[in-house]
Amino acid sequence: MDKVAVLTHTLKPEVISTLLGGELPVSVIKNNRYISLLTSDALVTDRNAEDNSLDHAIQAALTDETRSVILTGPEGSGKTTALEKLVVGWAKGEHFQNFPYVFHFKLRELNSLTGTLSLETLLLHHHGNVPRESLPLILKNPAEVLFVFDDLDQCKQSLDPSAHTLCSDPSQAASMPCLVASLLRGSLLKGAAFVVASRSTGSLKFLSGTMVKVLGFLKPQREAYFNKFFPDPIAAGKARIHMEKTLGFYDICTSPRFCWTVCSVYKSLVDAGAKLPETLSQLYVNILVHLIQSLSLNEACSREFISALGKMASHCLLDQHSSCTEEEMNSFGFQQFLTSVGAFLQVHGDPSERRVFSFHSSLMQEFLLAVSVFCDNSTPGGAEKMLEKHKRHAKFLDLFLSALSEPLQRRPLESLLGELNSDQIMDFKKWFKSNSEQTLKGFHKEKHQHCFHLLHQTQNESLVKEIITPSARIGISYGDLSLQDCVALNYVITCLGELEQLNLYHTGNLTEEQAEMLAPTMTLSRKICLSQSSLSAGAVSHLASALSRGITKKLDLSHSHLGDEKFKILCAGIRDCKLQTIQLAVCNLTEAMCEDLVSALTSGSSQLRVLDLTFNDIGDQGLTKLCKALQSPLCKLQDLQLHGCKLTAASMDSLSAALCSGQSELREVNLNHNTIGERGVEALCKSLQHPLCKLRSLKFFDSDLTGSCCPHLMAALMSEHCSLSELDLSVNDLGQEGALQLCQALRQPGCRLEKLCLQRCELTEPVFKELSSVLTSGTSRLKSLAVGIHAVGDQGVKHLWDAVAHPSCLLEELDVEMTGLTDACLEDLCAAIRASKTLKTLELRNNSLTDASVPAIVEVLRDSGNMQEMNLKYNDFSEEALSILDKCDKIRY
């Protein structure tokens, strides 16, 4: 096979480069501008870029065992150039020298072959580089043959072997699709090797072999491409950075063809001293202006030409055809423009043959359709009808329409096409505004995000403020935003000027790029929710920077598994910001991060009031370090949540010292689910009796307390200096003796306790009786009492019903869950509710009330002026009884 002839044929340009078509593969290869594409392996391996390149992937995949390699990727991703580079490399002796014969075919061009032909004819007459005398040798040794098929998806007829009667004789005539299908199946020239390229489509599932997904250009490849395109490195850098900022979040930016178009547009704008486009729509306005100007048509002809292109675009979208025949083109109104379509469309075939026409990209196809809608002079409503008609096939149509509905966006086009149809535009804007307002009142985040994309394309700040009213629910979770979504959301919030809550709950992986895009929005958000999320170190850095510059007062990072290293980065922002509350529950933090936290809390500029470290293993050493901050006059912390932090009595002396240091502002400490024990309680009770201790809430839920702790608690509660108003001792084995000691303290006039939780504390009926006495003593300040999960039955709880009915009782909340109540308590319960002037909520879950109680309960709640809620879940009610309960809005069941 004459490699020189193959090389000459491959490197012979058949057409010229166009703005939309991209730089010709021949030009890319000749001018040494080829940049090897990346495959999908680049996203899942740590190998270098060369190992993940398409060239390497093809060579590695094509072995004696694997005879077919299928390249898949979107339009313009560089597959055609890669295949031509492969053929050129073979012809130059660089690779694949184990194949003496390489045949390169483009299926789009073979579409013009009608009728039947044999494989011999195809190789001799439609390849042109095979001497006739070599053909028998080729057919005899198929293992030495490599077929390179491009544009497999562009074949007009199916290549599925099941759709053809396959042939095995190279001299047998068959249709072109049948020949290709027979080759790929192996019934014809079995043993030959194949490298085929196709857009990603489900219609090629019949292909077998190694699939290689072509990614195209990621950031490093784009940087290399821009550097090769622009002679001036500074200009290349500016252009690339602008593209990454305004367009880099679109999938199309991985396309080498699109990068060529962008570079060409940018260069012409820079040379003219014009402003670079800020949105995708503005880019396509610039492209279309350039193309129309290149035709030198008058205004009327230009408008007629765009209208024809719009009809073609609609036809291809609706019928899912990638190309049109000349007859179809004439039906769209192209008769006088067929010689001018080369700048806009791909043209295959000679004028003397059956030519086919297609769009270079689906984006330009949709943009031309959008422009043609507003060129249409028919009755208004066309835009909405067009969107409905094309909604299953057009991805960007409404984005382009929203942009073109703005005068500033469409003005460059109107200078060439004349004024667009104002009635159509006003009709679209009316629909757009109404639809957006309705969408933003809902809870579908995908619809919200799409609305933000439309607003971003308009680049109209006043329109954003007009559409996003207080009734818009923009506080719903926007977790797992794409980079494109981040840009649109950021534009909208920047226009609004501030946001009550940026809710990114359950974001799977917040990357550095996404956080960078959202940084301005973060600075404008009063609350930021990133709970149940995962953040990269780069994302945390941008978050910290946004906190230090912004207005955020509350940050929720609970269950984000942040870790010590990332928290260290975050501390830079906490040190100097307006943040008042930070939730760090379940963030994989340890004692190692406490030094950084102490430094932030004592910086002098930290405003932090609430710190939630729930279920982080900081341990006693971590808390001891943290207590250094609590004793500093610069620390403003008031609420410290240490739930499940693996604390013991060993760190309670440090905490006690901090509480009575005179510097601590702590009002609430949560020590739930720790092993505090008697010694720890004793240490803390000493601080509660100190005149400088300001603590008002202390929680010991499930903290290994026993009755021996109660004398210490009793002494603290009876102290004149104790300011405690809330105490939670639930799920501790206090027992009857310990609880009765607490009651002595509660009876004292100086005891300030208002909320007491004693659930599952091994209490008995005598304790309930004593609590009743406390509540009716006239000295108790208790407003909330939880004594659930005690099997005292109706008789035990009756003491509390009597107390509630007493005029001296101040209770507003009472929890008697799972205390063994039956219908026998109904009379006392109803009497208590009727008599009480203060009771608002009553917790009766997990008891044994039945249908017989329902009418009386409903009646007493309806008549009560102060009762707001009764919880009756998990009692013994029938479906019929539940339907009666449902009629009373004060009852939860």
Side-chain angles (χ1 to χ4, degrees):
M1 195 169 190
D2 188 349
K3 290 184 177 179
V4 175
V6 171
L7 191 62
T8 303
H9 174 76
T10 304
L11 294 178
K12 179 183 177 182
E14 298 177 357
V15 291
I16 60 171
S17 297
T18 62
L19 184 61
L20 293 174
E23 186 175 14
L24 292 178
V26 172
S27 174
V28 172
I29 296 167
K30 276 185 174 180
N31 296 323
N32 195 31
R33 282 209 282 261
Y34 180 75
I35 295 171
S36 189
L37 308 171
L38 290 186
T39 67
S40 55
D41 280 351
L43 298 181
V44 294
T45 69
D46 293 326
R47 295 182 299 172
N48 60 45
E50 188 175 334
D51 289 340
N52 286 314
S53 71
L54 181 58
D55 306 338
H56 182 274
I58 295 172
Q59 293 179 50
L62 208 57
T63 63
D64 291 338
E65 292 77 25
T66 304
R67 305 299 288 169
S68 295
V69 179
I70 303 107
L71 311 183
T72 64
E75 61 180 38
S77 58
K79 302 183 297 295
T80 295
T81 303
L83 292 187
E84 293 199 13
K85 182 75 165 54
L86 181 153
V87 174
V88 168
W90 170 81
K92 288 182 175 181
E94 294 172 356
H95 47 232
F96 294 117
Q97 298 308 292
N98 53 321
F99 295 106
Y101 307 99
V102 173
F103 296 99
H104 181 205
F105 291 106
K106 297 179 181 179
L107 269 292
R108 195 191 292 266
E109 295 175 357
L110 294 183
N111 279 329
S112 60
L113 298 179
T114 55
T116 60
L117 73 166
S118 67
L119 177 61
E120 293 175 343
T121 304
L122 181 67
L123 297 182
L124 286 173
H125 298 292
H126 295 284
H127 194 270
N129 296 306
V130 185
R132 183 176 292 274
E133 58 271 18
S134 300
L135 196 58
L137 188 62
I138 294 172
L139 300 177
K140 187 178 179 181
N141 299 291
E144 297 183 346
V145 179
L146 172 63
F147 284 98
V148 179
F149 284 130
D150 194 12
D151 295 330
L152 214 62
D153 57 293
Q154 298 300 308
C155 188
K156 281 282 190 180
Q157 299 177 43
S158 173
L159 296 176
D160 190 337
S162 63
H164 303 279
T165 303
L166 301 181
C167 57
S168 56
D169 183 356
S171 62
Q172 179 185 343
S175 66
M176 184 277 295
C178 181
L179 283 182
V180 176
S182 300
L183 284 168
L184 293 172
R185 187 68 168 183
S187 65
L188 187 59
L189 218 61
K190 185 175 183 180
F194 299 88
V195 177
V196 304
S198 168
R199 294 181 186 178
S200 304
T201 170
S203 62
L204 299 176
K205 291 179 181 177
F206 61 86
L207 289 174
S208 62
T210 300
M211 288 278 185
V212 178
K213 188 175 181 180
V214 181
L215 290 182
F217 288 172
L218 299 184
K219 267 191 172 183
Q221 289 72 41
R222 289 202 288 268
E223 183 173 359
Y225 187 86
F226 273 70
N227 288 338
K228 288 189 175 187
F229 190 96
F230 290 90
D232 179 9
I234 296 176
K238 286 183 178 179
R240 180 184 58 80
I241 290 170
H242 183 83
M243 178 195 178
E244 296 294 351
K245 180 184 174 185
T246 58
L247 302 169
F249 39 85
Y250 288 107
D251 293 341
I252 49 172
C253 287
T254 60
S255 161
R257 181 196 296 170
F258 183 73
C259 288
W260 154 268
T261 301
V262 171
C263 285
S264 301
V265 171
Y266 280 15
K267 189 175 186 305
S268 65
L269 291 172
V270 169
D271 291 344
K275 185 181 177 184
L276 297 182
E278 292 294 326
T279 65
L280 190 67
S281 299
Q282 288 181 5
L283 173 70
Y284 274 89
V285 166
N286 279 299
I287 293 172
L288 188 52
V289 165
H290 174 86
L291 294 175
I292 293 173
Q293 287 174 336
S294 70
L295 298 180
S296 301
L297 298 175
N298 62 34
E299 185 180 289
C301 287
S302 294
R303 198 173 180 118
E304 188 178 342
F305 181 49
I306 295 300
S307 178
L309 286 166
K311 290 175 183 175
M312 177 188 175
S314 178
H315 170 79
C316 291
L317 281 169
L318 293 176
D319 292 351
Q320 291 292 279
H321 288 163
S322 59
S323 58
C324 295
T325 64
E326 199 159 332
E327 291 78 10
E328 288 173 322
M329 296 294 282
N330 287 333
S331 72
F332 303 142
F334 278 104
Q335 291 91 335
Q336 59 176 317
F337 302 117
L338 283 180
T339 56
S340 305
V341 298
F344 286 80
L345 306 171
Q346 297 182 74
V347 184
H348 303 280
D350 296 322
S352 58
E353 300 176 353
R354 184 181 175 85
R355 291 189 296 174
V356 292
F357 304 80
S358 61
F359 287 99
H360 287 287
S361 76
S362 58
L363 265 177
M364 192 59 182
Q365 180 179 347
E366 290 188 36
F367 184 73
L368 287 165
L369 176 57
V371 176
S372 71
V373 169
F374 287 154
C375 282
D376 189 0
N377 289 321
S378 60
T379 54
E384 189 177 348
K385 290 177 183 176
M386 188 68 73
L387 284 171
E388 181 63 28
K389 189 176 178 182
H390 295 84
K391 67 180 180 182
R392 288 177 54 234
H393 308 297
K395 183 180 177 182
F396 289 89
L397 181 57
D398 55 354
L399 272 77
F400 289 141
L401 287 170
S402 62
L404 292 169
S405 69
E406 292 299 317
L408 284 175
Q409 305 275 56
R410 66 177 182 267
R411 188 171 296 161
L413 282 174
E414 289 185 320
S415 66
L416 299 171
L417 300 175
E419 188 176 338
L420 300 186
N421 189 322
S422 59
D423 289 337
Q424 294 281 23
I425 292 169
M426 289 304 297
D427 189 72
F428 171 79
K429 292 191 79 166
K430 182 180 177 182
W431 169 84
F432 175 38
K433 186 173 182 296
S434 171
N435 188 65
S436 298
E437 288 174 347
Q438 195 63 35
T439 294
L440 293 173
K441 289 177 182 177
F443 294 93
H444 299 284
K445 70 175 184 179
E446 291 81 9
K447 292 183 178 181
H448 279 223
Q449 289 160 12
H450 188 68
C451 181
F452 297 155
H453 286 298
L454 298 179
L455 289 169
H456 176 234
Q457 292 298 315
T458 67
Q459 292 291 291
N460 186 336
E461 182 178 323
S462 61
L463 181 63
V464 173
K465 292 178 178 178
E466 185 181 344
I467 285 177
I468 302 184
T469 61
S471 62
R473 290 191 172 98
I474 58 173
I476 68 168
S477 172
Y478 294 136
D480 278 332
L481 297 172
S482 68
L483 196 58
Q484 191 176 334
D485 295 330
C486 292
V487 172
L489 175 61
N490 186 67
Y491 170 76
V492 167
I493 302 308
T494 304
C495 288
L496 293 174
E498 67 177 33
L499 180 65
E500 184 59 32
Q501 175 174 251
L502 174 62
N503 189 346
L504 300 176
Y505 168 78
H506 218 286
T507 294
N509 179 30
L510 187 67
T511 66
E512 180 175 1
E513 282 186 313
Q514 291 171 325
E516 184 179 6
M517 290 293 187
L518 287 172
T521 292
M522 290 177 181
T523 64
L524 296 170
S525 302
R526 299 189 184 282
K527 301 175 188 173
I528 298 175
C529 177
L530 279 161
S531 62
Q532 301 279 355
S533 299
S534 176
L535 290 76
S536 69
V540 175
S541 180
H542 285 294
L543 173 59
S545 178
L547 290 173
S548 65
R549 293 180 285 110
I551 63 172
T552 307
K553 292 188 175 182
K554 183 176 181 179
L555 174 63
D556 185 356
L557 286 166
S558 52
H559 296 270
S560 66
H561 304 289
L562 202 61
D564 294 335
E565 289 303 312
K566 292 177 188 174
F567 182 73
K568 185 182 183 76
I569 299 170
L570 184 65
C571 280
I574 298 174
R575 187 173 284 108
D576 183 18
C577 67
K578 296 181 174 65
L579 203 63
Q580 294 182 358
T581 300
I582 184 166
Q583 293 168 277
L584 296 165
V586 197
C587 280
N588 286 0
L589 303 178
T590 69
E591 175 263 334
M593 66 87 202
C594 290
E595 291 286 359
D596 298 308
L597 180 55
V598 168
S599 176
L601 291 172
T602 57
S603 64
S605 50
S606 171
Q607 303 294 314
L608 211 59
R609 303 289 195 276
V610 180
L611 174 61
D612 184 357
L613 293 171
T614 296
F615 287 118
N616 288 290
D617 296 345
I618 66 169
D620 290 322
Q621 287 187 325
L623 178 55
T624 301
K625 289 180 181 179
L626 194 55
C627 286
K628 293 177 184 177
L630 298 177
Q631 296 184 60
S632 169
L634 299 175
C635 179
K636 300 179 174 66
L637 215 56
Q638 295 180 0
D639 184 341
L640 182 58
Q641 300 291 313
L642 297 169
H643 188 134
C645 287
K646 295 199 172 178
L647 305 177
T648 70
S651 55
M652 294 303 107
D653 284 328
S654 298
L655 179 56
S656 179
L659 289 170
C660 56
S661 65
Q663 305 295 340
S664 173
E665 296 293 328
L666 275 181
R667 303 292 195 275
E668 179 174 341
V669 175
N670 184 336
L671 294 168
N672 293 346
H673 288 291
N674 287 294
T675 313
I676 305 302
E678 181 186 356
R679 195 166 68 82
V681 171
E682 182 181 7
L684 289 172
C685 284
K686 288 178 181 177
S687 64
L688 292 175
Q689 298 174 63
H690 197 282
L692 297 178
C693 179
K694 301 171 184 175
L695 205 62
R696 291 175 184 164
S697 174
L698 185 56
K699 296 176 182 177
F700 287 117
F701 184 102
D702 190 20
S703 293
D704 201 29
L705 275 58
T706 64
S708 61
C709 298
C710 293
H712 306 298
L713 291 166
M714 181 177 71
L717 292 172
M718 293 173 65
S719 168
E720 62 175 317
H721 299 299
C722 181
S723 55
L724 213 60
S725 60
E726 179 180 3
L727 180 62
D728 188 351
L729 300 171
S730 298
V731 194
N732 289 292
D733 295 340
L734 303 183
Q736 177 174 300
E737 185 179 349
L740 290 174
Q741 287 176 319
L742 287 177
C743 288
Q744 291 181 44
L746 295 174
R747 191 185 292 278
Q748 297 302 309
C751 181
R752 302 178 186 178
L753 212 59
E754 295 182 357
K755 183 172 183 178
L756 178 62
C757 296
L758 294 170
Q759 291 174 299
R760 219 207 75 182
C761 285
E762 306 300 321
L763 306 186
T764 60
E765 183 182 341
V767 175
F768 275 66
K769 183 177 181 180
E770 186 61 23
L771 283 170
S772 174
S773 176
V774 168
L775 292 168
T776 59
S777 65
T779 56
S780 170
R781 303 186 188 184
L782 277 180
K783 294 181 180 179
S784 176
L785 178 63
V787 286
I789 321 180
H790 291 107
V792 294
D794 294 326
Q795 190 58 40
V797 179
K798 182 182 188 311
H799 298 295
L800 296 182
W801 298 141
D802 292 343
V804 169
H806 196 280
S808 296
C809 180
L810 304 177
L811 274 188
E812 296 177 1
E813 300 172 355
L814 177 60
D815 182 346
V816 286
E817 175 190 1
M818 203 180 293
T819 50
L821 295 176
T822 69
D823 293 337
C825 77
L826 186 62
E827 185 177 346
D828 294 319
L829 165 62
C830 292
I833 292 174
R834 288 194 183 95
S836 175
K837 303 298 182 186
T838 59
L839 195 64
K840 295 178 181 178
T841 63
L842 189 54
E843 185 69 62
L844 295 171
R845 283 182 303 173
N846 291 297
N847 282 295
S848 301
L849 300 175
T850 70
D851 293 6
S853 301
V854 169
I857 289 174
V858 171
E859 181 182 356
V860 75
L861 283 181
R862 282 178 176 167
D863 293 343
S864 173
N866 44 280
M867 273 296 292
Q868 296 174 358
E869 183 178 289
M870 178 186 287
N871 192 340
L872 289 169
K873 285 184 178 180
Y874 315 121
N875 278 276
D876 298 332
F877 299 132
S878 67
E879 289 296 324
E880 184 179 352
L882 292 177
S883 64
I884 297 172
L885 292 174
D886 189 53
K887 295 175 182 178
C888 181
D889 58 9
K890 295 181 181 180
I891 297 176
R892 289 172 59 198
Y893 62 88

